[in-house]
Amino acid sequence: MRILGIETSCDETALAIVEGKGERVRVARELVASQVKIHKKYGGVVPEVAARRHAEVMPWMLKKMLGRERARAFDVIAVTAGPGLITSLRVGVDTARSLAYAWGKPLVAVNHLAGHIAANFIDEITNTKYQIPNTKFQIPNSNRKSLSYKPFAISRARFPALALVVSGGHTELVLMRDHGVYELLGATRDDAAGEAFDKVGKLLGLGYPGGPAVAKRAEKGDPHAIPFPRPMIHSKDFDFSFSGLKTAVAQYLDVQHPVGHPDIADICASFQEAAVDVLVEKTIRAARRVKPKTILLAGGVAANKELRKRLGIEVARQLPTANCRPPPMKFTTDNAAMIAAAGYFMARKKQFADWRTLEPRANWEIGAE
Ligand code: KG4
Ligand code: ZN
C-alpha cells in the first residue's frame, strides 16, 4: 500500500509517499519545506505567517512530489489533523480533503504525536547520500534503486510499547497496546521539553530553534557544573514540568551573569542534564508500572544525542527485558513520512475519515476519539 502523507501542523510543510507492507514501512519520496528562516527573525513561530506560507508552497510541493504520476502514485491520503496550530493544520487538512474528493482516494486523519511515534516503525535508510532535505523544494535522490535500507528492529513493534514523546509542543508518556491504540499516562503540566530547550536557547542568545544549539554547546560543557532543579522527578505520577527549570536558568543568568555568560557550555550541559534526568527517570518509572516489551522515543527532542544515549543505557541497566532503540535521526523532527507511516497502520485497519466532515483539531489528545 502506498500512502501520501501531508504534514502542516507547525512550521514545516511536508509531503511524503511511503510504502507499507506487512510490518514494514519504507519511504519512497519525501519533501520538507522548512520555514525556520522565516520565523527566526521573530524568535518563534508566528501562526498567521506559518499558515500563509503553507498555503503558498503546497501546490508547488504537490507538483514536485507527484510529478506526472499524480493520483496513480498512491492509494491512501494521510494528513495531520491535530494537535497543532489551527490555521496551519487547516491548510493540510483542506488540501487532503480536496485531493481525496477529486481523486476518489480514502482519507486518514493522523494525530501528530501518533505520527512522531510511527517514525520508529520506518525502515532506516543506510545510504549516506540520502538526507532529509530541509531547504525549500529539494527532493532527495528518489530513485529507490539507489537506496539501501536497514529493516527497523522488528522488536521495536512488540507491544505493549511505552513511548516517551518529546517535542516542541508536547512531553508525554504514552502506552501503546497495538498500532493505533494509545493511552496517555502522563504529560507536562506547563512547558514542553523542546519548549524549555528553545527558551533556554533564547535566554542565551542562541537563536531559534534553541534545542539543537543548546545541545551543541552542551557537548563542550560540564553537566555537573550547576545544580539546576529536576522538577517533579520524585512525584508518583507520570506528569512533567519544565517551566521551573527554565526559570532556574533565567535566575542563574540574572544573579551570576547580569552581563554576558562566559560559562555558556556549562549552563547548556547542566540544563540538558537536568532535563534528561527527569525524562529518563520518569520513563523508567512508568515502564516499571506498565511492563512494556518496547520503549520508544519520539518527537523533535528525540534528536538529542544525550537523551538517546542515556535512555538506552538506563533501560539496558534497569529493564533488561525491554527493547529500546532510538528512532532514525532523520525522522525525529517534523516530517510527512512519519504521518504516512501512522496512516498506513490506520488504513490497514480501515480507520478512514470522510472528506466531507474532517476538521482540524488544535488540541487533539492522543488516544482520544
Ligand atoms: O517535533 P518537532 O519537530 O516539532 C513539534 O512537533 O513541536 O520538535 C521540535 C522541537 C524544538 O523545540 C527543538 O528545539 C527540539 O525539538 N529539538 C531539540 C533537538 N533537536 C530538535 N531539542 C534538544 N536537542 C536537540 N538535538
Ligand atoms: Zn512535531
Side-chain angles (χ1 to χ4, degrees):
M1 196 191 302
R2 281 165 74 88
I3 323 284
L4 172 68
I6 302 177
E7 156 63 39
T8 62
S9 68
C10 190
D11 61 343
E12 322 276 1
T13 322
L15 297 176
I17 294 178
V18 306
E19 278 176 11
K21 202 172 174 193
E23 291 303 302
R24 299 188 58 181
V25 179
R26 287 178 166 190
V27 179
R29 284 167 175 234
E30 104 124 345
L31 194 59
V32 181
S34 172
Q35 302 180 3
V36 163
K37 277 194 193 140
I38 297 172
H39 299 286
K40 228 182 176 98
K41 55 178 174 286
Y42 306 109
V45 178
V46 184
E48 164 65 23
V49 174
R52 229 184 303 151
R53 188 69 186 154
H54 287 308
E56 274 165 26
V57 302
M58 185 59 84
W60 297 104
M61 293 197 41
L62 281 167
K63 180 171 181 290
K64 197 107 184 162
M65 172 60 86
L66 299 175
R68 267 178 270 122
E69 288 179 87
R70 310 259 160 159
R72 269 171 300 151
F74 57 88
D75 309 299
V76 173
I77 300 168
V79 63
T80 306
L85 302 170
I86 192 70
T87 44
S88 288
L89 289 165
R90 183 95 249 170
V91 177
V93 166
D94 287 341
T95 301
R97 294 171 65 212
S98 306
L99 293 178
Y101 163 67
W103 288 337
K105 303 280 180 186
L107 183 61
V108 178
V110 176
N111 179 290
H112 182 76
L113 303 178
H116 273 301
I117 294 174
N120 282 279
F121 307 129
I122 300 174
D123 276 3
E124 271 171 71
I125 299 150
T126 53
N127 188 326
T128 50
K129 279 191 195 142
Y130 182 97
Q131 301 239 318
I132 276 200
N134 51 16
T135 47
K136 213 168 69 169
F137 301 153
Q138 222 184 330
I139 287 199
N141 182 352
S142 56
N143 175 358
R144 271 170 289 137
K145 289 206 182 85
S146 70
L147 299 178
S148 47
Y149 296 92
K150 182 163 82 186
F152 74 87
I154 285 289
S155 48
R156 270 201 213 150
R158 272 178 26 201
F159 298 105
L162 174 68
L164 171 65
V165 185
V166 269
S167 72
H170 294 83
T171 303
E172 299 185 347
L173 278 163
V174 178
L175 175 63
M176 223 180 143
R177 297 193 190 280
D178 191 3
H179 286 297
V181 184
Y182 311 97
E183 187 187 325
L184 185 61
L185 301 179
T188 182
R189 296 187 183 174
D190 41 54
D191 292 356
E195 194 177 351
F197 269 92
D198 291 341
K199 286 179 175 168
V200 167
K202 202 169 185 173
L203 286 170
L204 295 169
L206 297 176
Y208 169 84
V214 169
K216 182 117 201 68
R217 296 294 182 110
E219 282 173 18
K220 299 213 161 59
D222 173 5
H224 306 292
I226 308 150
F228 288 131
R230 271 82 172 143
M232 295 183 73
I233 196 163
H234 298 301
S235 74
K236 293 218 159 44
D237 52 31
F238 304 125
D239 286 349
F240 299 90
S241 165
F242 287 101
S243 100
L245 174 56
K246 167 213 67 193
T247 306
V249 176
Q251 280 167 350
Y252 176 84
L253 289 173
D254 279 351
V255 176
Q256 306 288 332
H257 296 295
V259 190
H261 15 78
D263 54 352
I264 190 162
D266 285 350
I267 298 170
C268 290
S270 300
F271 158 76
Q272 177 175 271
E273 182 80 359
V276 169
D277 271 359
V278 177
L279 291 169
V280 172
E281 174 71 28
K282 286 259 157 147
T283 306
I284 298 283
R285 175 119 29 96
R288 287 194 197 286
R289 163 89 65 89
V290 298
K291 307 202 170 16
K293 293 198 170 110
T294 316
I295 294 179
L296 303 170
L297 182 58
V301 185
N304 186 278
K305 287 187 195 144
E306 191 57 27
L307 176 60
R308 293 166 78 92
K309 191 176 87 189
R310 286 273 305 284
L311 187 64
I313 291 172
E314 290 306 319
V315 170
R317 204 167 64 83
Q318 302 191 49
L319 306 157
T321 57
N323 192 284
C324 178
R325 269 192 63 199
M329 202 72 163
K330 298 180 187 76
F331 300 121
T332 50
T333 47
D334 287 352
N335 65 87
M338 68 186 197
I339 301 303
Y344 164 65
F345 293 109
M346 290 176 73
R348 249 187 8 177
K349 294 186 179 172
K350 307 218 175 327
Q351 294 172 330
F352 296 119
D354 188 335
W355 68 262
R356 292 169 192 82
T357 52
L358 180 62
E359 285 289 317
R361 293 157 70 185
N363 301 312
W364 183 12
E365 192 174 280
I366 191 167
E369 277 303 305

